[in-house]
């Protein structure tokens, strides 16, 4: 069973072999985190059915807890349900990735342009910090993509959020996060199964320097090309059949 005493005390909780210690987590949050991780990593393959009784038994949780966690994953577009057929992992396809990519480019470049226009010294300071952290994570990614991807993905997310942090729209930020999370499975496929991503640091550096120089056109163009990387690699290397 989930150790709710530990959760409430903030000392950590175990769920399905995973341990969470950074903050107080409810059973729903723990379940969400574990199932999400397994979907992103491919433990639960795209299109596969999620058997509720098996999950409840293996995690030691109630049906209501599991359903709430799966509902949150539906909001992330990682799980879907079809009538009375239950829950399954959202399929992956090149057409879906292309759609995701186009939507991300529209929202992220718009937010970046606003940040360049409105960002203050604090925005610049945070962007510098996030870029340097990402650069260190990139070095480890190039050395061992499969082992280092998770840590790199955290820093990558921080950097992209820092780029858009001065954009004032809360709705835009919400939709950007959904699209970013939905595209993580494709980034993992591209980053771990494709060629070693040496060029990614150069792409991030170009975006960073253009943003710091307040060169909106160059920064937006570089960001758009960077976001297209996953679809270009996956299509060129035939990493995912469509």
């Amino acid at each position: 069973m989930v150790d709710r005493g530990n959760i409430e005390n903030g000392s950590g909780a175990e769920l399905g072999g995973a341990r969470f210690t950074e903050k107080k987590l409810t059973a729903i949050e723990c379940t969400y985190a574990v199932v999400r991780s397994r979907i992103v990593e491919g433990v639960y393959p795209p299109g596969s059915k999620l058997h509720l009784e098996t999950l409840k038994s293996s995690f030691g949780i109630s049906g209501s807890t599991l359903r709430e966690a799966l509902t949150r994953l539906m909001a992330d577009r990682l799980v879907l349900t079809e009538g009375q057929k239950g829950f399954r992992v959202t399929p992956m396809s090149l057409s879906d990735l292309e759609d995701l990519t186009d939507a991300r480019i529209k929202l992220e470049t718009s937010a970046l342009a606003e940040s360049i226009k409105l960002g203050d010294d604090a925005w610049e300071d945070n962007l510098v910090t996030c870029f340097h952290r990402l650069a260190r994570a990139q070095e480890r990614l190039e050395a061992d993509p499969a082992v280092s991807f998770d840590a790199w993905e955290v820093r990558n997310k921080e950097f992209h959020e820092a780029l858009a942090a001065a954009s004032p729209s809360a709705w835009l930020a919400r939709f950007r996060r959904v699209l970013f999370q939905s595209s993580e499975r494709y980034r993992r496929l591209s980053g771990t199964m494709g060629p070693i991503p040496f060029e990614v640091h150069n792409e991030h550096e170009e975006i960073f320097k253009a943003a710091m120089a307040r060169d909106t056109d160059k920064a937006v163009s570089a960001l758009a090309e960077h976001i297209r990387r996953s679809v270009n690699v996956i299509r060129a290397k035939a990493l995912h059949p469509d």
Side-chain angles (χ1 to χ4, degrees):
M1 293 292 289
V2 176
D3 189 343
R4 289 174 177 78
N6 281 343
I7 292 172
E8 292 170 357
N9 295 329
S11 59
E14 283 196 25
L15 181 63
R19 187 167 183 84
F20 300 86
T21 59
E22 292 184 357
K23 64 176 183 177
K24 295 179 182 178
L25 295 177
T26 67
I28 292 172
E29 290 169 332
C30 287
T31 305
Y32 164 84
V34 172
V35 176
R36 185 185 186 283
S37 176
R38 293 181 180 182
I39 290 173
V40 170
E41 293 173 4
V43 177
Y44 302 149
S48 64
K49 186 173 182 179
L50 296 170
H51 298 280
L52 302 190
E53 292 302 321
T54 300
L55 291 174
K56 284 194 299 179
S57 177
S58 63
F59 290 168
I61 56 176
S62 67
S64 59
T65 294
L66 178 58
R67 287 183 177 276
E68 176 60 30
L70 294 177
T71 297
R72 295 187 182 189
L73 289 164
M74 288 175 63
D76 291 344
R77 306 292 294 173
L78 291 174
V79 168
L80 54 82
T81 183
E82 297 177 342
Q84 301 299 315
K85 296 181 180 180
F87 297 90
R88 67 187 180 103
V89 178
T90 302
M92 295 172 66
S93 68
L94 280 175
S95 58
D96 177 59
L97 176 56
E98 288 167 351
D99 191 16
L100 267 173
T101 298
D102 289 343
R104 280 192 64 206
I105 288 172
K106 290 175 183 177
L107 294 189
E108 291 203 30
T109 56
S110 175
L112 174 58
E114 289 183 338
S115 285
I116 290 173
K117 179 180 179 181
L118 302 174
D120 56 12
D121 289 346
W123 173 74
E124 288 191 358
D125 290 344
N126 184 52
L127 184 57
V128 169
T129 298
C130 290
F131 173 73
H132 286 303
R133 287 175 176 171
L134 177 57
R136 292 196 294 270
Q138 177 70 27
E139 293 175 359
R140 293 188 287 272
L141 179 70
E142 292 174 4
D144 193 339
V147 171
S148 303
F149 184 86
D150 286 342
W152 176 86
E153 177 68 11
V154 170
R155 298 308 186 192
N156 183 52
K157 181 179 180 181
E158 288 176 352
F159 176 68
H160 279 267
E161 288 182 345
L163 287 170
S167 173
S169 173
W171 278 105
L172 185 59
R174 178 179 299 180
F175 291 130
R176 279 194 300 102
R177 291 189 185 105
V178 169
L179 292 172
F180 190 91
Q181 291 183 164
S182 296
S183 60
E184 182 178 346
R185 291 188 294 173
Y186 296 104
R187 281 193 300 279
R188 180 180 291 272
L189 182 63
S190 171
T192 62
M193 301 300 291
I196 297 176
F198 295 112
E199 300 89 350
V200 173
H201 174 69
N202 293 334
E203 294 173 6
H204 283 143
E205 186 173 32
E206 183 179 8
I207 298 165
F208 168 71
K209 288 182 176 179
M212 292 294 291
R214 307 287 174 150
D215 188 336
T216 302
D217 289 343
K218 186 174 182 178
V220 164
S221 177
L223 178 59
E225 287 303 310
H226 172 66
I227 293 173
R228 288 192 183 96
R229 160 172 284 276
S230 290
V231 69
N232 291 340
V233 170
I234 291 172
R235 184 189 295 113
K237 301 299 180 179
L239 298 179
H240 194 283
D242 206 8

